[in-house]
Amino acid sequence: MKTEQTRRHVLLNTAKGALGLFAAATVGPIILSACKKNDSAGKPTTNNSGDASQPTSCPNQEALSEQDKTVRASLKYVDKTPLPGRTCDNCKLYTLPQAGALCGGCKVVPGPIHPKGYCTAWIARM
Ligand code: SF4
């Protein structure tokens, strides 16, 4: 009985994880297409990369769904890393921005991802 409950629990959790990854992979590119470097909706104010032409945050984050915001918050995603040397652009899960866009994407965090951002799922790119 207990073994059956444990097996069911593992299967349910695996299915939930797979569904979350599928949703991130499906919705992420749609949001990324709206993430343009000079989009006025982003209203960047200061720079965190040392390059004055680069905004400090990704635009259009207000358009994210509540579920996407929850995933981002649960992994503590931020547009500016608190850990020097651990940034999205050196993370194995980062996907490069489209031509002309500042922000790329991520295989686990939905929405636009700043190259100098960070979350707790960071994995060193080899
Ligand atoms: Fe950035 Fe986290 Fe995605 Fe890595 S897993 S690219 S650190 S958001």
Side-chain angles (χ1 to χ4, degrees), residues 43-98:
K43 298 180 181 130
T45 54
T46 57
N47 181 292
N48 70 342
S49 67
D51 180 349
S53 68
Q54 296 295 310
T56 57
S57 62
C58 296
N60 300 324
Q61 295 188 50
E62 65 279 357
L64 292 167
S65 71
E66 288 304 313
Q67 182 179 1
D68 288 350
K69 289 177 184 176
T70 299
V71 171
R72 289 165 75 95
S74 69
L75 292 173
K76 301 185 182 346
Y77 171 77
V78 289
D79 280 338
K80 181 180 179 182
T81 184
L83 301 174
R86 290 190 176 198
T87 55
C88 292
D89 62 1
N90 66 19
C91 174
K92 186 175 184 177
L93 302 172
Y94 185 66
T95 57
L96 294 174
Q98 294 180 350

Tab-separated table of all heavy atoms in Angstrom, residues 43-98:
chain	number	residue	atom	x	y	z
A	43	LYS	N	11.131	50.738	-20.856
A	43	LYS	CA	11.516	51.906	-20.086
A	43	LYS	C	12.755	51.669	-19.240
A	43	LYS	O	12.728	51.841	-18.029
A	43	LYS	CB	10.361	52.357	-19.203
A	43	LYS	CG	9.150	52.766	-20.015
A	43	LYS	CD	8.039	53.207	-19.121
A	43	LYS	CE	6.858	53.576	-19.976
A	43	LYS	NZ	5.642	52.989	-19.592
A	44	PRO	N	13.866	51.240	-19.840
A	44	PRO	CA	15.075	51.053	-19.063
A	44	PRO	C	15.566	52.380	-18.511
A	44	PRO	O	15.412	53.406	-19.155
A	44	PRO	CB	16.059	50.481	-20.074
A	44	PRO	CG	15.551	50.941	-21.388
A	44	PRO	CD	14.060	51.014	-21.252
A	45	THR	N	16.139	52.341	-17.318
A	45	THR	CA	16.594	53.568	-16.699
A	45	THR	C	18.099	53.620	-16.524
A	45	THR	O	18.715	54.632	-16.802
A	45	THR	CB	15.939	53.750	-15.317
A	45	THR	OG1	16.187	52.579	-14.559
A	45	THR	CG2	14.446	53.964	-15.459
A	46	THR	N	18.684	52.572	-16.030
A	46	THR	CA	20.130	52.559	-15.810
A	46	THR	C	20.702	51.274	-16.358
A	46	THR	O	19.986	50.360	-16.722
A	46	THR	CB	20.469	52.663	-14.315
A	46	THR	OG1	19.829	51.598	-13.649
A	46	THR	CG2	20.044	53.998	-13.744
A	47	ASN	N	22.008	51.191	-16.332
A	47	ASN	CA	22.683	50.067	-16.948
A	47	ASN	C	23.376	49.208	-15.910
A	47	ASN	O	23.928	49.707	-14.956
A	47	ASN	CB	23.719	50.644	-17.934
A	47	ASN	CG	24.461	49.570	-18.656
A	47	ASN	OD1	25.235	48.867	-18.034
A	47	ASN	ND2	24.242	49.444	-19.937
A	48	ASN	N	23.384	47.880	-16.091
A	48	ASN	CA	24.068	46.997	-15.153
A	48	ASN	C	25.187	46.202	-15.807
A	48	ASN	O	25.746	45.315	-15.192
A	48	ASN	CB	23.087	46.028	-14.483
A	48	ASN	CG	22.567	44.984	-15.449
A	48	ASN	OD1	22.655	45.162	-16.664
A	48	ASN	ND2	22.022	43.914	-14.929
A	49	SER	N	25.478	46.489	-17.058
A	49	SER	CA	26.498	45.696	-17.745
A	49	SER	C	27.739	46.506	-18.071
A	49	SER	O	28.677	45.983	-18.641
A	49	SER	CB	25.915	45.117	-19.039
A	49	SER	OG	25.638	46.167	-19.939
A	50	GLY	N	27.732	47.787	-17.723
A	50	GLY	CA	28.867	48.624	-18.039
A	50	GLY	C	28.753	49.255	-19.405
A	50	GLY	O	29.542	50.111	-19.759
A	51	ASP	N	27.781	48.862	-20.194
A	51	ASP	CA	27.548	49.420	-21.518
A	51	ASP	C	26.320	50.324	-21.433
A	51	ASP	O	25.207	49.865	-21.228
A	51	ASP	CB	27.314	48.283	-22.512
A	51	ASP	CG	27.074	48.800	-23.925
A	51	ASP	OD1	26.880	50.022	-24.103
A	51	ASP	OD2	27.063	47.967	-24.840
A	52	ALA	N	26.530	51.618	-21.583
A	52	ALA	CA	25.455	52.594	-21.396
A	52	ALA	C	24.312	52.410	-22.376
A	52	ALA	O	23.216	52.900	-22.140
A	52	ALA	CB	26.014	54.006	-21.495
A	53	SER	N	24.550	51.691	-23.470
A	53	SER	CA	23.476	51.493	-24.441
A	53	SER	C	22.579	50.316	-24.088
A	53	SER	O	21.563	50.105	-24.736
A	53	SER	CB	24.072	51.287	-25.834
A	53	SER	OG	24.763	50.051	-25.887
A	54	GLN	N	22.939	49.542	-23.085
A	54	GLN	CA	22.168	48.349	-22.733
A	54	GLN	C	21.217	48.623	-21.568
A	54	GLN	O	21.651	49.023	-20.498
A	54	GLN	CB	23.121	47.217	-22.340
A	54	GLN	CG	24.011	46.754	-23.468
A	54	GLN	CD	23.228	46.128	-24.600
A	54	GLN	OE1	22.406	45.260	-24.386
A	54	GLN	NE2	23.464	46.588	-25.814
A	55	PRO	N	19.909	48.373	-21.770
A	55	PRO	CA	18.946	48.530	-20.673
A	55	PRO	C	19.222	47.532	-19.553
A	55	PRO	O	19.768	46.459	-19.779
A	55	PRO	CB	17.605	48.222	-21.338
A	55	PRO	CG	17.838	48.371	-22.794
A	55	PRO	CD	19.281	48.027	-23.025
A	56	THR	N	18.808	47.885	-18.342
A	56	THR	CA	19.050	47.014	-17.189
A	56	THR	C	17.966	45.973	-16.998
A	56	THR	O	18.136	45.058	-16.207
A	56	THR	CB	19.138	47.839	-15.901
A	56	THR	OG1	17.929	48.564	-15.770
A	56	THR	CG2	20.324	48.762	-15.936
A	57	SER	N	16.854	46.129	-17.688
A	57	SER	CA	15.794	45.138	-17.527
A	57	SER	C	15.140	44.847	-18.868
A	57	SER	O	15.193	45.657	-19.793
A	57	SER	CB	14.751	45.629	-16.525
A	57	SER	OG	14.148	46.806	-16.994
A	58	CYS	N	14.530	43.684	-18.947
A	58	CYS	CA	13.858	43.287	-20.178
A	58	CYS	C	12.491	43.953	-20.260
A	58	CYS	O	11.801	44.075	-19.251
A	58	CYS	CB	13.666	41.771	-20.198
A	58	CYS	SG	15.212	40.870	-20.235
A	59	PRO	N	12.109	44.375	-21.463
A	59	PRO	CA	10.784	44.989	-21.626
A	59	PRO	C	9.675	43.944	-21.614
A	59	PRO	O	9.940	42.749	-21.734
A	59	PRO	CB	10.891	45.657	-23.004
A	59	PRO	CG	11.891	44.841	-23.732
A	59	PRO	CD	12.875	44.370	-22.683
A	60	ASN	N	8.474	44.398	-21.468
A	60	ASN	CA	7.248	43.594	-21.604
A	60	ASN	C	7.070	42.534	-20.529
A	60	ASN	O	6.332	41.585	-20.729
A	60	ASN	CB	7.181	42.942	-22.993
A	60	ASN	CG	7.190	43.969	-24.097
A	60	ASN	OD1	6.620	45.039	-23.937
A	60	ASN	ND2	7.843	43.663	-25.189
A	61	GLN	N	7.715	42.691	-19.395
A	61	GLN	CA	7.516	41.704	-18.333
A	61	GLN	C	6.131	41.801	-17.720
A	61	GLN	O	5.629	40.843	-17.143
A	61	GLN	CB	8.589	41.849	-17.256
A	61	GLN	CG	9.978	41.518	-17.794
A	61	GLN	CD	11.030	41.470	-16.717
A	61	GLN	OE1	10.851	40.803	-15.696
A	61	GLN	NE2	12.136	42.161	-16.925
A	62	GLU	N	5.513	42.981	-17.866
A	62	GLU	CA	4.156	43.150	-17.327
A	62	GLU	C	3.134	42.316	-18.095
A	62	GLU	O	2.045	42.061	-17.624
A	62	GLU	CB	3.743	44.636	-17.320
A	62	GLU	CG	3.608	45.265	-18.701
A	62	GLU	CD	4.940	45.702	-19.333
A	62	GLU	OE1	5.991	45.580	-18.676
A	62	GLU	OE2	4.898	46.172	-20.469
A	63	ALA	N	3.521	41.859	-19.304
A	63	ALA	CA	2.597	41.062	-20.126
A	63	ALA	C	2.622	39.577	-19.759
A	63	ALA	O	1.841	38.802	-20.297
A	63	ALA	CB	2.947	41.230	-21.604
A	64	LEU	N	3.481	39.198	-18.833
A	64	LEU	CA	3.568	37.786	-18.449
A	64	LEU	C	2.299	37.338	-17.722
A	64	LEU	O	1.677	38.117	-17.006
A	64	LEU	CB	4.764	37.572	-17.522
A	64	LEU	CG	6.136	37.744	-18.155
A	64	LEU	CD1	7.203	37.814	-17.069
A	64	LEU	CD2	6.421	36.609	-19.107
A	65	SER	N	1.957	36.070	-17.889
A	65	SER	CA	0.799	35.515	-17.179
A	65	SER	C	1.151	35.357	-15.697
A	65	SER	O	2.329	35.343	-15.324
A	65	SER	CB	0.426	34.155	-17.761
A	65	SER	OG	1.418	33.201	-17.412
A	66	GLU	N	0.144	35.211	-14.900
A	66	GLU	CA	0.371	35.019	-13.463
A	66	GLU	C	1.164	33.733	-13.218
A	66	GLU	O	2.013	33.688	-12.340
A	66	GLU	CB	-0.959	34.984	-12.708
A	66	GLU	CG	-1.631	36.334	-12.628
A	66	GLU	CD	-0.745	37.400	-12.004
A	66	GLU	OE1	-0.131	37.147	-10.951
A	66	GLU	OE2	-0.655	38.506	-12.586
A	67	GLN	N	0.892	32.703	-14.023
A	67	GLN	CA	1.624	31.432	-13.869
A	67	GLN	C	3.109	31.632	-14.175
A	67	GLN	O	3.969	31.135	-13.454
A	67	GLN	CB	1.037	30.378	-14.798
A	67	GLN	CG	1.722	29.027	-14.633
A	67	GLN	CD	1.121	27.955	-15.532
A	67	GLN	OE1	0.199	28.217	-16.294
A	67	GLN	NE2	1.645	26.757	-15.438
A	68	ASP	N	3.395	32.376	-15.263
A	68	ASP	CA	4.792	32.635	-15.611
A	68	ASP	C	5.484	33.456	-14.524
A	68	ASP	O	6.636	33.198	-14.174
A	68	ASP	CB	4.885	33.359	-16.947
A	68	ASP	CG	4.545	32.453	-18.121
A	68	ASP	OD1	4.419	31.227	-17.917
A	68	ASP	OD2	4.404	32.972	-19.239
A	69	LYS	N	4.771	34.443	-13.992
A	69	LYS	CA	5.346	35.254	-12.910
A	69	LYS	C	5.642	34.389	-11.693
A	69	LYS	O	6.651	34.579	-11.016
A	69	LYS	CB	4.380	36.391	-12.538
A	69	LYS	CG	4.276	37.463	-13.595
A	69	LYS	CD	3.247	38.510	-13.198
A	69	LYS	CE	3.063	39.539	-14.284
A	69	LYS	NZ	1.993	40.509	-13.971
A	70	THR	N	4.769	33.422	-11.444
A	70	THR	CA	4.959	32.525	-10.300
A	70	THR	C	6.204	31.663	-10.494
A	70	THR	O	6.996	31.479	-9.563
A	70	THR	CB	3.717	31.632	-10.107
A	70	THR	OG1	2.599	32.474	-9.849
A	70	THR	CG2	3.905	30.668	-8.951
A	71	VAL	N	6.386	31.146	-11.712
A	71	VAL	CA	7.576	30.327	-11.990
A	71	VAL	C	8.824	31.177	-11.819
A	71	VAL	O	9.800	30.748	-11.178
A	71	VAL	CB	7.517	29.729	-13.415
A	71	VAL	CG1	8.836	29.057	-13.778
A	71	VAL	CG2	6.355	28.754	-13.535
A	72	ARG	N	8.806	32.392	-12.367
A	72	ARG	CA	9.973	33.279	-12.262
A	72	ARG	C	10.290	33.579	-10.799
A	72	ARG	O	11.449	33.559	-10.377
A	72	ARG	CB	9.732	34.570	-13.059
A	72	ARG	CG	9.752	34.335	-14.571
A	72	ARG	CD	9.159	35.499	-15.336
A	72	ARG	NE	10.000	36.667	-15.417
A	72	ARG	CZ	10.812	36.943	-16.440
A	72	ARG	NH1	10.912	36.106	-17.466
A	72	ARG	NH2	11.531	38.037	-16.437
A	73	ALA	N	9.240	33.851	-10.031
A	73	ALA	CA	9.440	34.173	-8.615
A	73	ALA	C	9.927	32.963	-7.833
A	73	ALA	O	10.800	33.088	-6.961
A	73	ALA	CB	8.136	34.713	-8.018
A	74	SER	N	9.399	31.782	-8.154
A	74	SER	CA	9.793	30.586	-7.404
A	74	SER	C	11.262	30.243	-7.623
A	74	SER	O	11.909	29.675	-6.738
A	74	SER	CB	8.896	29.395	-7.764
A	74	SER	OG	9.154	28.969	-9.083
A	75	LEU	N	11.786	30.596	-8.796
A	75	LEU	CA	13.211	30.359	-9.067
A	75	LEU	C	14.049	31.611	-8.787
A	75	LEU	O	15.231	31.659	-9.097
A	75	LEU	CB	13.397	29.893	-10.513
A	75	LEU	CG	12.831	28.492	-10.798
A	75	LEU	CD1	12.901	28.175	-12.281
A	75	LEU	CD2	13.579	27.440	-9.994
A	76	LYS	N	13.399	32.633	-8.232
A	76	LYS	CA	14.069	33.879	-7.811
A	76	LYS	C	14.808	34.549	-8.978
A	76	LYS	O	15.933	35.046	-8.818
A	76	LYS	CB	15.011	33.624	-6.632
A	76	LYS	CG	14.306	33.044	-5.419
A	76	LYS	CD	15.236	32.913	-4.241
A	76	LYS	CE	14.633	32.298	-3.004
A	76	LYS	NZ	13.243	32.155	-2.859
A	77	TYR	N	14.156	34.547	-10.163
A	77	TYR	CA	14.774	35.198	-11.321
A	77	TYR	C	14.866	36.710	-11.103
A	77	TYR	O	13.917	37.338	-10.650
A	77	TYR	CB	13.985	34.922	-12.611
A	77	TYR	CG	14.510	35.769	-13.745
A	77	TYR	CD1	15.689	35.426	-14.391
A	77	TYR	CD2	13.877	36.956	-14.097
A	77	TYR	CE1	16.217	36.233	-15.378
A	77	TYR	CE2	14.392	37.772	-15.090
A	77	TYR	CZ	15.567	37.399	-15.723
A	77	TYR	OH	16.099	38.211	-16.685
A	78	VAL	N	16.022	37.288	-11.447
A	78	VAL	CA	16.220	38.737	-11.422
A	78	VAL	C	16.967	39.138	-12.693
A	78	VAL	O	17.738	38.358	-13.255
A	78	VAL	CB	17.024	39.198	-10.179
A	78	VAL	CG1	16.194	39.058	-8.909
A	78	VAL	CG2	18.329	38.421	-10.042
A	79	ASP	N	16.718	40.372	-13.167
A	79	ASP	CA	17.376	40.855	-14.381
A	79	ASP	C	18.851	41.191	-14.152
A	79	ASP	O	19.617	41.302	-15.104
A	79	ASP	CB	16.661	42.100	-14.910
A	79	ASP	CG	15.397	41.749	-15.690
A	79	ASP	OD1	15.278	40.604	-16.180
A	79	ASP	OD2	14.533	42.632	-15.821
A	80	LYS	N	19.240	41.378	-12.901
A	80	LYS	CA	20.636	41.669	-12.583
A	80	LYS	C	21.127	40.673	-11.541
A	80	LYS	O	20.592	40.610	-10.435
A	80	LYS	CB	20.776	43.099	-12.050
A	80	LYS	CG	22.201	43.474	-11.734
A	80	LYS	CD	22.306	44.896	-11.220
A	80	LYS	CE	23.748	45.233	-10.893
A	80	LYS	NZ	23.876	46.586	-10.340
A	81	THR	N	22.135	39.916	-11.888
A	81	THR	CA	22.614	38.870	-10.981
A	81	THR	C	23.196	39.454	-9.692
A	81	THR	O	23.895	40.471	-9.724
A	81	THR	CB	23.684	37.989	-11.666
A	81	THR	OG1	24.035	36.931	-10.771
A	81	THR	CG2	24.918	38.788	-12.045
A	82	PRO	N	22.939	38.790	-8.576
A	82	PRO	CA	23.592	39.189	-7.324
A	82	PRO	C	24.931	38.462	-7.145
A	82	PRO	O	25.652	38.735	-6.203
A	82	PRO	CB	22.583	38.736	-6.263
A	82	PRO	CG	21.937	37.535	-6.881
A	82	PRO	CD	21.893	37.804	-8.365
A	83	LEU	N	25.221	37.520	-8.053
A	83	LEU	CA	26.431	36.702	-7.930
A	83	LEU	C	27.337	36.905	-9.140
A	83	LEU	O	27.112	36.313	-10.203
A	83	LEU	CB	26.049	35.221	-7.826
A	83	LEU	CG	25.136	34.837	-6.663
A	83	LEU	CD1	24.709	33.384	-6.769
A	83	LEU	CD2	25.834	35.104	-5.337
A	84	PRO	N	28.370	37.726	-9.003
A	84	PRO	CA	29.282	37.946	-10.122
A	84	PRO	C	29.821	36.602	-10.644
A	84	PRO	O	30.178	35.727	-9.875
A	84	PRO	CB	30.413	38.785	-9.506
A	84	PRO	CG	29.794	39.431	-8.319
A	84	PRO	CD	28.753	38.469	-7.811
A	85	GLY	N	29.821	36.436	-11.936
A	85	GLY	CA	30.292	35.192	-12.524
A	85	GLY	C	29.173	34.200	-12.809
A	85	GLY	O	29.378	33.214	-13.503
A	86	ARG	N	28.004	34.440	-12.253
A	86	ARG	CA	26.841	33.574	-12.516
A	86	ARG	C	25.761	34.423	-13.165
A	86	ARG	O	24.983	35.087	-12.467
A	86	ARG	CB	26.319	32.931	-11.231
A	86	ARG	CG	27.256	31.897	-10.692
A	86	ARG	CD	26.607	31.116	-9.581
A	86	ARG	NE	27.506	30.059	-9.135
A	86	ARG	CZ	27.128	29.017	-8.450
A	86	ARG	NH1	25.877	28.883	-8.077
A	86	ARG	NH2	27.994	28.101	-8.103
A	87	THR	N	25.767	34.429	-14.471
A	87	THR	CA	24.788	35.205	-15.220
A	87	THR	C	24.102	34.296	-16.233
A	87	THR	O	24.617	33.229	-16.588
A	87	THR	CB	25.465	36.370	-15.968
A	87	THR	OG1	26.513	35.835	-16.785
A	87	THR	CG2	26.038	37.389	-14.992
A	88	CYS	N	22.960	34.748	-16.698
A	88	CYS	CA	22.206	33.926	-17.654
A	88	CYS	C	23.027	33.645	-18.907
A	88	CYS	O	22.950	32.552	-19.460
A	88	CYS	CB	20.889	34.618	-18.004
A	88	CYS	SG	19.739	34.671	-16.614
A	89	ASP	N	23.821	34.635	-19.355
A	89	ASP	CA	24.554	34.397	-20.596
A	89	ASP	C	25.712	33.409	-20.438
A	89	ASP	O	26.340	33.044	-21.429
A	89	ASP	CB	25.007	35.703	-21.253
A	89	ASP	CG	25.961	36.524	-20.405
A	89	ASP	OD1	26.316	36.098	-19.285
A	89	ASP	OD2	26.341	37.610	-20.854
A	90	ASN	N	25.990	32.954	-19.216
A	90	ASN	CA	26.939	31.849	-19.085
A	90	ASN	C	26.279	30.626	-18.434
A	90	ASN	O	26.962	29.754	-17.908
A	90	ASN	CB	28.228	32.259	-18.362
A	90	ASN	CG	28.023	32.621	-16.909
A	90	ASN	OD1	27.025	32.271	-16.300
A	90	ASN	ND2	28.981	33.327	-16.335
A	91	CYS	N	24.964	30.587	-18.529
A	91	CYS	CA	24.185	29.455	-18.007
A	91	CYS	C	23.861	28.498	-19.154
A	91	CYS	O	23.537	28.912	-20.265
A	91	CYS	CB	22.892	29.971	-17.375
A	91	CYS	SG	21.758	28.674	-16.847
A	92	LYS	N	23.907	27.235	-18.859
A	92	LYS	CA	23.634	26.191	-19.850
A	92	LYS	C	22.201	26.247	-20.366
A	92	LYS	O	21.922	25.783	-21.465
A	92	LYS	CB	23.898	24.828	-19.190
A	92	LYS	CG	23.810	23.653	-20.108
A	92	LYS	CD	24.203	22.391	-19.346
A	92	LYS	CE	24.222	21.194	-20.274
A	92	LYS	NZ	24.669	19.984	-19.578
A	93	LEU	N	21.288	26.822	-19.605
A	93	LEU	CA	19.869	26.827	-19.967
A	93	LEU	C	19.445	28.076	-20.732
A	93	LEU	O	18.287	28.196	-21.137
A	93	LEU	CB	19.013	26.672	-18.699
A	93	LEU	CG	19.301	25.396	-17.900
A	93	LEU	CD1	18.561	25.406	-16.575
A	93	LEU	CD2	18.941	24.172	-18.716
A	94	TYR	N	20.372	29.011	-20.946
A	94	TYR	CA	20.047	30.270	-21.636
A	94	TYR	C	19.936	30.037	-23.133
A	94	TYR	O	20.716	29.281	-23.719
A	94	TYR	CB	21.151	31.289	-21.344
A	94	TYR	CG	20.898	32.674	-21.896
A	94	TYR	CD1	19.853	33.456	-21.424
A	94	TYR	CD2	21.729	33.208	-22.874
A	94	TYR	CE1	19.635	34.727	-21.916
A	94	TYR	CE2	21.521	34.479	-23.372
A	94	TYR	CZ	20.467	35.233	-22.886
A	94	TYR	OH	20.257	36.495	-23.379
A	95	THR	N	18.976	30.715	-23.759
A	95	THR	CA	18.854	30.684	-25.220
A	95	THR	C	19.075	32.102	-25.733
A	95	THR	O	18.576	33.074	-25.152
A	95	THR	CB	17.487	30.154	-25.673
A	95	THR	OG1	16.445	30.943	-25.104
A	95	THR	CG2	17.299	28.707	-25.224
A	96	LEU	N	19.836	32.214	-26.788
A	96	LEU	CA	20.249	33.516	-27.303
A	96	LEU	C	19.068	34.334	-27.795
A	96	LEU	O	18.079	33.784	-28.295
A	96	LEU	CB	21.253	33.326	-28.434
A	96	LEU	CG	22.589	32.710	-28.020
A	96	LEU	CD1	23.437	32.424	-29.246
A	96	LEU	CD2	23.320	33.620	-27.045
A	97	PRO	N	19.178	35.679	-27.693
A	97	PRO	CA	18.105	36.552	-28.191
A	97	PRO	C	18.021	36.510	-29.712
A	97	PRO	O	18.994	36.185	-30.399
A	97	PRO	CB	18.521	37.942	-27.707
A	97	PRO	CG	19.897	37.840	-27.215
A	97	PRO	CD	20.262	36.398	-27.083
A	98	GLN	N	16.860	36.870	-30.211
A	98	GLN	CA	16.702	37.019	-31.653
A	98	GLN	C	17.476	38.261	-32.073
A	98	GLN	O	17.769	39.138	-31.254
A	98	GLN	CB	15.229	37.164	-32.003
A	98	GLN	CG	14.437	35.907	-31.714
A	98	GLN	CD	12.962	36.046	-32.064
A	98	GLN	OE1	12.483	37.131	-32.362
A	98	GLN	NE2	12.255	34.943	-32.032
